[in-house]
Amino acid sequence: MKRIIKRILTLFSVVLLSSCSLPGLSNAADSDTITIASLGSTEAEIMGFIVEGMVEHYIPIDANRITNLGSSSMNHAALQTGDANVASVRYTGTSLTGELGQEPITDPQLALEKVVKGFEEEFDQTWYPTYGFANTYAFMVRREDAEELGLEKVSDLEQYADTFKVGVDNSWLEREGDGYDGFVQTYGFDFDNLYPMAIGLVYTAIANGEIDVALGYSTDGRIISEDLKVLEDDRHLFPPYDASPVATNEIRARYPDLDKVMAKLAGAISNEEMQRLNFTADNYLLEPSTVAKEWLLRNNYFENKEPYLEPVRKKEVE
């Protein structure tokens, strides 16, 4: 039933995009260019400009972009309807349970294989190798506390479970699978002092000493600005949310060099690097386009990187 509901929501997004004229949308399949769709977050906008910059550097075209698509399903619908043909960033955990309607998987490689196979077979799209970063839920503490108390892993919090104040996203408490009930089952302990709040507030709260542990996002720029340490999810509570670009096979056939462009970005951005890019944009109020351009120039558009890497292909996955 859950899978059917997910498919209905995705279908609704496709119908909505097909029937509405949204700013920036045009039928990419009818134009001789590459159109890149991005989610509305700082991270997704930066990646959209990075992909655009790489495409225009290596392929003699002016790429288009569609920005601020509010959800993964809307992003997916844009590729399905032909309004776009490349997604700047998609996350394995989100698309596995969302567009594909499958159960969560905690093994990163298996999750990747599932989405590669699923997107090829069901949507005629290629899910490329990961950029190298994963944007997932993560527990974090102040760096000075981590150093003083020797906190490296989430399981290290058990000895402080009755004293630490823990700030978490409101929705996480009721979230199935990797929510609070899943945490207790996976780690074998619970927290005596939980403080539900909007996820954007946890960073301010921990910086101000109002809480001792925050549940945030692993690539958030505020990890740097508030000098926080991300704890290792050593018992693998959270599904992998490795980030990759996705392209329709139609646009890959039209522009064969697109595979080479995406291959240069494979493994190029770590969690820490994505944190720095997000921090630079948000902390200094720089446009994502500026941050992306400076990063591409600093890396010389990866011109010296191995020019071709076979894209991840679908595998027989049990």
Coordinates of all heavy atoms in Angstrom, one line a residue, residues 133-180:
F133 N 29.6 12.9 -1.6 CA 29.0 13.3 -0.3 C 27.6 12.7 -0.2 O 27.0 12.3 -1.1 CB 28.9 14.8 -0.2 CG 28.0 15.5 -1.2 CD1 26.6 15.7 -0.8 CD2 28.4 16.0 -2.4 CE1 25.7 16.4 -1.7 CE2 27.5 16.6 -3.3 CZ 26.2 16.8 -2.9
A134 N 27.2 12.7 1.1 CA 25.8 12.2 1.4 C 25.2 13.1 2.4 O 25.8 13.5 3.4 CB 25.9 10.8 2.0
N135 N 24.0 13.6 2.1 CA 23.3 14.5 3.0 C 22.2 13.7 3.7 O 21.1 13.5 3.3 CB 22.7 15.6 2.2 CG 22.1 16.7 3.1 OD1 22.2 16.6 4.3 ND2 21.7 17.8 2.5
T136 N 22.6 13.3 4.9 CA 21.7 12.5 5.7 C 21.5 13.1 7.1 O 22.2 14.0 7.5 CB 22.2 11.1 5.9 OG1 21.3 10.2 6.6 CG2 23.6 11.1 6.6
Y137 N 20.6 12.6 7.9 CA 20.5 13.0 9.3 C 21.8 12.6 10.0 O 22.4 11.6 9.7 CB 19.3 12.2 10.0 CG 18.0 12.9 9.9 CD1 16.9 12.1 9.5 CD2 17.8 14.2 10.3 CE1 15.6 12.7 9.5 CE2 16.5 14.8 10.3 CZ 15.4 14.0 9.9 OH 14.2 14.6 9.9
A138 N 22.2 13.4 10.9 CA 23.4 13.2 11.7 C 23.4 13.8 13.0 O 22.9 14.9 13.2 CB 24.6 13.7 10.9
F139 N 23.8 13.0 14.0 CA 24.0 13.6 15.4 C 25.3 14.4 15.5 O 26.3 13.9 14.9 CB 23.9 12.5 16.4 CG 22.6 11.9 16.7 CD1 22.2 10.7 16.1 CD2 21.6 12.6 17.5 CE1 20.9 10.2 16.3 CE2 20.4 12.1 17.7 CZ 20.0 10.9 17.1
M140 N 25.3 15.5 16.1 CA 26.5 16.3 16.2 C 26.5 17.0 17.6 O 25.5 17.2 18.3 CB 26.5 17.4 15.1 CG 25.2 18.2 15.0 SD 25.1 19.0 13.3 CE 24.8 17.7 12.2
V141 N 27.8 17.3 18.0 CA 28.0 17.9 19.3 C 29.0 19.0 19.1 O 29.7 19.1 18.0 CB 28.6 16.9 20.3 CG1 27.6 15.8 20.6 CG2 29.9 16.3 19.8
R142 N 29.2 19.9 20.1 CA 30.2 21.0 20.0 C 31.6 20.3 19.9 O 31.8 19.3 20.7 CB 30.1 21.9 21.2 CG 28.8 22.8 21.1 CD 28.8 23.7 22.4 NE 28.5 23.0 23.6 CZ 27.2 22.7 24.0 NH1 26.2 23.1 23.3 NH2 27.1 22.0 25.1
R143 N 32.4 20.8 19.1 CA 33.7 20.2 18.9 C 34.5 20.2 20.2 O 35.2 19.2 20.5 CB 34.5 21.0 17.9 CG 35.8 20.3 17.5 CD 36.4 20.9 16.2 NE 35.5 20.8 15.1 CZ 35.4 19.7 14.4 NH1 36.1 18.6 14.6 NH2 34.6 19.7 13.3
E144 N 34.4 21.2 21.0 CA 35.1 21.2 22.3 C 34.6 20.1 23.2 O 35.4 19.5 24.0 CB 35.0 22.6 23.0 CG 33.5 23.0 23.3 CD 33.4 24.4 23.8 OE1 33.8 25.3 23.0 OE2 33.0 24.6 24.9
D145 N 33.3 19.8 23.2 CA 32.8 18.7 24.0 C 33.3 17.4 23.5 O 33.6 16.5 24.3 CB 31.3 18.8 24.0 CG 30.7 20.0 24.8 OD1 31.5 20.6 25.5 OD2 29.5 20.3 24.6
A146 N 33.3 17.2 22.2 CA 33.8 16.0 21.6 C 35.2 15.7 22.0 O 35.6 14.6 22.3 CB 33.7 16.1 20.1
E147 N 36.1 16.7 22.0 CA 37.5 16.5 22.3 C 37.6 16.3 23.8 O 38.4 15.4 24.2 CB 38.2 17.8 21.9 CG 38.3 18.0 20.4 CD 39.0 19.3 20.0 OE1 39.3 20.1 20.9 OE2 39.2 19.5 18.8
E148 N 36.8 17.0 24.6 CA 37.0 16.8 26.1 C 36.5 15.4 26.5 O 37.1 14.8 27.4 CB 36.2 17.9 26.8 CG 36.3 17.8 28.3 CD 35.5 18.9 29.0 OE1 35.1 19.9 28.3 OE2 35.2 18.8 30.2
L149 N 35.4 15.0 25.9 CA 34.7 13.7 26.4 C 35.0 12.5 25.5 O 34.6 11.4 25.8 CB 33.2 13.9 26.4 CG 32.7 15.1 27.3 CD1 31.2 15.3 27.1 CD2 33.0 14.8 28.8
G150 N 35.8 12.7 24.4 CA 36.1 11.6 23.6 C 35.0 11.1 22.8 O 34.9 9.9 22.6
L151 N 34.1 12.0 22.3 CA 32.9 11.6 21.5 C 33.3 11.5 20.1 O 33.6 12.5 19.4 CB 31.8 12.6 21.7 CG 31.4 12.8 23.2 CD1 30.3 13.9 23.3 CD2 30.8 11.5 23.8
E152 N 33.1 10.3 19.5 CA 33.4 10.0 18.1 C 32.2 9.4 17.4 O 32.0 9.7 16.2 CB 34.6 9.1 17.9 CG 35.9 9.7 18.4 CD 36.5 10.8 17.5 OE1 36.1 10.8 16.3 OE2 37.3 11.6 18.0
K153 N 31.5 8.6 18.1 CA 30.4 7.8 17.5 C 29.1 8.1 18.3 O 29.1 8.5 19.4 CB 30.7 6.3 17.6 CG 32.1 5.9 17.1 CD 32.3 4.4 17.2 CE 32.3 3.9 18.6 NZ 33.4 4.4 19.4
V154 N 28.0 7.8 17.6 CA 26.7 7.9 18.2 C 26.6 7.0 19.5 O 26.0 7.4 20.5 CB 25.6 7.6 17.2 CG1 24.2 7.7 17.9 CG2 25.6 8.6 16.1
S155 N 27.1 5.9 19.4 CA 27.1 5.0 20.6 C 27.8 5.5 21.8 O 27.5 5.1 22.9 CB 27.6 3.6 20.2 OG 29.0 3.7 19.7
D156 N 28.7 6.5 21.6 CA 29.4 7.1 22.7 C 28.5 7.9 23.5 O 28.8 8.3 24.7 CB 30.6 8.0 22.2 CG 31.7 7.2 21.6 OD1 31.8 6.0 21.9 OD2 32.4 7.8 20.7
L157 N 27.3 8.3 23.0 CA 26.4 9.1 23.8 C 25.6 8.3 24.8 O 25.0 8.9 25.7 CB 25.3 9.7 22.8 CG 25.9 10.7 21.7 CD1 24.7 11.1 20.8 CD2 26.5 11.9 22.4
E158 N 25.7 7.0 24.8 CA 24.9 6.2 25.8 C 25.3 6.6 27.2 O 24.3 6.7 28.0 CB 25.2 4.7 25.5 CG 24.4 3.8 26.4 CD 24.5 2.3 26.1 OE1 25.3 2.0 25.2 OE2 23.7 1.6 26.7
Q159 N 26.5 6.8 27.5 CA 26.9 7.1 28.9 C 26.4 8.4 29.4 O 26.4 8.7 30.6 CB 28.4 7.0 29.1 CG 29.2 7.9 28.1 CD 30.7 7.7 28.2 OE1 31.2 7.6 29.3 NE2 31.3 7.6 27.0
Y160 N 25.9 9.3 28.4 CA 25.4 10.6 28.8 C 23.9 10.7 28.5 O 23.4 11.8 28.5 CB 26.2 11.7 28.0 CG 27.6 11.6 28.2 CD1 28.5 11.1 27.3 CD2 28.2 12.1 29.4 CE1 29.9 11.0 27.5 CE2 29.6 12.1 29.6 CZ 30.4 11.5 28.6 OH 31.8 11.4 28.8
A161 N 23.3 9.6 28.2 CA 21.9 9.6 27.7 C 20.9 10.2 28.8 O 19.8 10.7 28.4 CB 21.4 8.2 27.4
D162 N 21.3 10.1 30.1 CA 20.4 10.6 31.1 C 20.7 12.1 31.5 O 19.9 12.7 32.3 CB 20.5 9.7 32.4 CG 21.9 9.6 32.9 OD1 22.8 10.0 32.2 OD2 22.0 9.2 34.1
T163 N 21.7 12.6 31.0 CA 22.1 14.0 31.3 C 22.1 15.0 30.1 O 21.8 16.2 30.3 CB 23.5 14.1 32.0 OG1 24.4 13.5 31.1 CG2 23.4 13.3 33.3
F164 N 22.5 14.5 29.0 CA 22.6 15.4 27.8 C 21.2 15.8 27.3 O 20.2 15.1 27.3 CB 23.2 14.7 26.6 CG 24.8 14.8 26.6 CD1 25.4 15.5 27.6 CD2 25.5 14.2 25.6 CE1 26.8 15.6 27.6 CE2 26.9 14.3 25.6 CZ 27.5 15.0 26.6
K165 N 21.1 17.1 27.0 CA 19.9 17.6 26.3 C 20.1 17.5 24.8 O 21.1 17.9 24.2 CB 19.7 19.1 26.7 CG 19.5 19.3 28.2 CD 19.4 20.8 28.5 CE 19.2 21.1 30.0 NZ 19.1 22.5 30.3
V166 N 19.1 16.9 24.2 CA 19.2 16.5 22.8 C 18.1 17.2 22.0 O 16.9 17.0 22.2 CB 19.1 15.0 22.6 CG1 19.3 14.6 21.1 CG2 20.1 14.3 23.4
G167 N 18.5 18.0 21.0 CA 17.5 18.7 20.1 C 17.3 18.0 18.8 O 18.3 17.6 18.2
V168 N 16.1 17.7 18.5 CA 15.8 16.9 17.3 C 14.7 17.6 16.5 O 13.9 18.4 17.0 CB 15.4 15.5 17.6 CG1 16.5 14.8 18.4 CG2 14.1 15.4 18.4
D169 N 14.7 17.2 15.2 CA 13.6 17.7 14.3 C 12.3 17.1 14.8 O 12.1 16.0 15.2 CB 14.0 17.1 12.9 CG 12.9 17.5 11.9 OD1 12.2 18.5 12.1 OD2 12.9 16.9 10.8
N170 N 11.3 18.0 14.8 CA 9.9 17.6 15.2 C 9.4 16.3 14.5 O 9.0 15.4 15.2 CB 8.9 18.7 14.9 CG 9.1 19.9 15.8 OD1 9.0 19.8 17.0 ND2 9.3 21.1 15.2
S171 N 9.6 16.3 13.2 CA 9.1 15.1 12.5 C 9.8 13.8 12.7 O 9.3 12.7 12.5 CB 9.1 15.4 11.0 OG 10.4 15.6 10.5
W172 N 11.1 13.9 13.2 CA 11.9 12.7 13.4 C 11.3 11.9 14.5 O 11.5 10.6 14.4 CB 13.3 13.2 13.8 CG 14.3 12.0 13.9 CD1 14.8 11.2 12.9 CD2 14.8 11.5 15.2 NE1 15.6 10.2 13.5 CE2 15.6 10.4 14.8 CE3 14.7 11.9 16.5 CZ2 16.4 9.7 15.8 CZ3 15.4 11.2 17.5 CH2 16.2 10.1 17.1
L173 N 10.7 12.4 15.5 CA 10.1 11.7 16.6 C 9.1 10.6 16.1 O 9.0 9.5 16.7 CB 9.5 12.6 17.6 CG 10.5 13.4 18.4 CD1 9.8 14.4 19.4 CD2 11.5 12.6 19.2
E174 N 8.3 11.0 15.1 CA 7.3 10.1 14.6 C 7.7 9.4 13.3 O 6.9 8.6 12.7 CB 6.0 10.9 14.3 CG 5.5 11.7 15.5 CD 5.2 10.8 16.7 OE1 4.7 9.6 16.5 OE2 5.4 11.2 17.9
R175 N 8.9 9.6 12.8 CA 9.3 9.0 11.6 C 9.5 7.5 11.7 O 10.1 7.0 12.6 CB 10.7 9.7 11.2 CG 11.2 9.3 9.8 CD 12.5 10.1 9.6 NE 13.3 9.7 8.4 CZ 13.2 10.4 7.3 NH1 12.5 11.5 7.2 NH2 13.9 10.0 6.3
E176 N 9.0 6.8 10.7 CA 9.1 5.4 10.7 C 10.5 4.9 10.2 O 11.1 5.6 9.4 CB 8.1 4.7 9.7 CG 6.6 4.9 10.2 CD 5.7 4.2 9.3 OE1 6.1 3.4 8.5 OE2 4.5 4.5 9.3
G177 N 11.0 3.8 10.7 CA 12.2 3.3 10.3 C 13.5 3.9 10.9 O 14.1 3.3 11.8
D178 N 13.8 5.1 10.5 CA 15.0 5.7 11.1 C 14.7 6.9 12.0 O 15.5 7.8 12.2 CB 15.9 6.2 10.0 CG 15.3 7.3 9.0 OD1 14.1 7.4 9.1 OD2 16.0 7.9 8.2
G179 N 13.5 6.9 12.6 CA 13.1 7.9 13.6 C 13.5 7.5 15.0 O 14.4 6.6 15.1
Y180 N 12.8 8.1 16.0 CA 13.3 7.9 17.3 C 13.1 6.4 17.8 O 14.0 5.8 18.4 CB 12.5 8.8 18.3 CG 13.0 8.7 19.7 CD1 14.4 9.0 20.0 CD2 12.2 8.3 20.8 CE1 14.9 8.9 21.3 CE2 12.7 8.3 22.1 CZ 14.0 8.5 22.3 OH 14.5 8.5 23.6

